[in-house]
Amino acid sequence: MASVRSDSVVSGVLLKIGEVRLARGVSQEKLAELSGIDLGVISRAERLQRIPSMAAIMDLASALELDFAELVRGARKSNEP
């Protein structure tokens, strides 16, 4: 079972992906096309209703040309006490 902290890191990564997508004017439909990830998965992930697989999260980050390791580091830092 994942810890609360790791869950919050994953949530932080998903939220950042959504923020970047919006800032760049990329629709969820376009991100689905670029990443090969189902539109419904992207929609639920951005609302934190479903946590996709790590491979899917990495594909989303890659489609937006984001460094996955940097996303994780940023999410971990924002969750530090």
Side-chain angles (χ1 to χ4, degrees):
M1 184 168 132
S3 70
V4 172
R5 181 179 163 129
S6 65
D7 286 349
S8 62
V9 170
V10 172
S11 296
V13 168
L14 292 172
L15 291 172
K16 186 64 175 178
I17 288 171
E19 288 172 14
V20 170
R21 179 188 65 75
L22 287 170
R24 293 184 182 174
V26 176
S27 68
Q28 287 182 339
E29 292 83 2
K30 183 64 176 177
L31 182 56
E33 179 184 317
L34 293 170
S35 67
I37 303 300
D38 182 76
L39 173 61
V41 171
I42 294 170
S43 176
R44 287 186 297 278
E46 286 188 3
R47 290 179 282 143
L48 304 180
Q49 292 179 336
R50 178 176 185 255
I51 303 299
S53 70
M54 190 59 61
I57 295 171
M58 292 174 78
D59 287 344
L60 293 171
S62 178
L64 291 170
E65 299 178 352
L66 298 171
D67 182 287
F68 182 73
E70 186 60 35
L71 284 173
V72 172
R73 279 191 293 274
R76 289 182 74 194
K77 284 182 184 176
S78 66
N79 284 308
E80 290 177 353

